[in-house]
Amino acid sequence: QVQLVESGGGLVQAGGSLRLSCAASGRTFTDLTMGWFRQAPGNEREFVGTINWSGGAYYTDSVKDRFTISRDNAQNTVYLQMNSLKPEDTAVYYCAATSSRSPHFAGYEYDYWGQGTQVTVSS
């Protein structure tokens, strides 16, 4: 079992930055591939990015020049640094985990999910 808890969301003006954190517990963190997803009001869940056990990261095109995923294996934590935020980034952001290696870009490929943290970007 893996438990995930997101934090760091909030209200920010367009052009600002936020850093989201996701703390994992329940198994060896280095065994996990981690992902970030988001869901805007009325929309379906959307892939944001993923990071593997050694730090290799992949992003959806809409965020890849603005967002950065990193992980601190000693702290069992993955981060999503979000810069140059836009109103269309407004969503609930979720972290997810899978014990399967290689990049995973679809939500159904992840086994564990946090409860989400709200990010609101005002114009």
Side-chain angles (χ1 to χ4, degrees):
Q1 284 288 338
V2 175
Q3 295 80 45
L4 304 173
V5 180
E6 303 97 334
S7 62
L11 175 65
V12 64
Q13 295 186 58
S17 298
L18 285 173
R19 188 180 73 161
L20 306 184
S21 299
C22 175
S25 63
R27 67 173 295 170
T28 303
F29 186 63
T30 51
D31 288 344
L32 299 174
T33 294
M34 304 296 296
W36 285 98
F37 293 79
R38 65 187 182 185
Q39 188 166 19
N43 293 349
E44 295 183 348
R45 180 181 56 198
E46 176 189 20
F47 170 77
V48 175
T50 184
I51 187 166
N52 67 20
W53 64 273
S54 62
Y58 304 85
Y59 307 90
T60 192
D61 285 346
S62 63
V63 309
K64 70 181 180 64
D65 294 326
R66 300 182 295 120
F67 293 8
T68 302
I69 299 173
S70 61
R71 65 192 294 163
D72 184 339
N73 290 335
Q75 295 293 319
N76 294 348
T77 301
V78 64
Y79 303 95
L80 181 65
Q81 178 68 47
M82 304 185 294
N83 299 324
S84 301
L85 283 162
K86 304 174 181 179
E88 54 261 44
D89 295 318
T90 295
V92 177
Y93 283 71
Y94 300 91
C95 66
T98 176
S99 60
S100 177
R101 295 187 176 186
S102 80
H104 296 289
F105 310 114
Y108 68 82
E109 297 177 300
Y110 289 82
D111 303 309
Y112 308 101
W113 293 84
Q115 293 301 304
T117 185
Q118 177 71 48
V119 172
T120 302
V121 184
S122 62
S123 60

